[in-house]
Amino acid sequence: TLLMRVKNRKDQQSWDEFVLYYKPYIYRVIKNAISGHHDCEDLVQKTLVTCWEKLPEYEYDPDRSRFRTWICSIARNYVLKFYRDTGRYNDKIDNFGDAQNETLSEPEIDKLAEKEWQLYISNLAWENIKTQFDGNALDCFMLMSEGQSAASVAEKLGITVGSVYVLKKRVTEKLYREINRLDRDLN
């Protein structure tokens, strides 16, 4: 897996792939707590450097916690340090703990990590598959996802209601397969 390959610090290609996939995810997690783009980018870089330093010793145990929980813990620590260093600790601690209790429990970190992972992986899957469809398939999927009825979509696109369902199903199935593939490959 990517996680096993990236533990080898000499494998630059695996590290580049790791950064390609995990940098946007780490950014999303940090962006929950910090609004400034440049501050977020700085903390993402610090998180990635720490990952690079600590990955060779990291022991993955899926029964204990997920890999993304570990990444979120690193990011959380940098966010807390950022708040302390900038004097905004008590005002901005909302998504990563509170001033009285700096340590989120693993289940709480896991919950945050899972929420952001689902959003991230869904968006990544969508970007990967959307160019694989032409014609009305994407329009059917998007319009029905917005809550429009199949009859309304059929009328707008000039196709039958049955075609709307078939086209939406094709996109949905492809999207779920891609989500599952990415989740399996990146976990």
Side-chain angles (χ1 to χ4, degrees), residues 89-121:
Y89 185 75
N90 290 329
D91 298 338
K92 300 286 188 175
I93 213 66
D94 52 12
N95 286 329
F96 284 83
D98 58 47
Q100 289 75 34
N101 181 12
E102 285 191 27
T103 58
L104 281 177
S105 67
E106 264 194 41
E108 291 169 317
I109 294 172
D110 208 22
K111 185 178 176 182
L112 172 68
E114 188 62 28
K115 175 185 150 211
E116 286 305 322
W117 183 256
Q118 288 173 359
L119 289 169
Y120 170 69
I121 213 74

Side-chain angles (χ1 to χ4, degrees), residues 140-159:
C140 288
F141 180 82
M142 294 303 293
L143 291 170
M144 288 193 73
S145 296
E146 293 169 359
Q148 294 189 28
S149 70
S152 169
V153 173
E155 186 178 320
K156 281 183 183 176
L157 300 177
I159 58 177

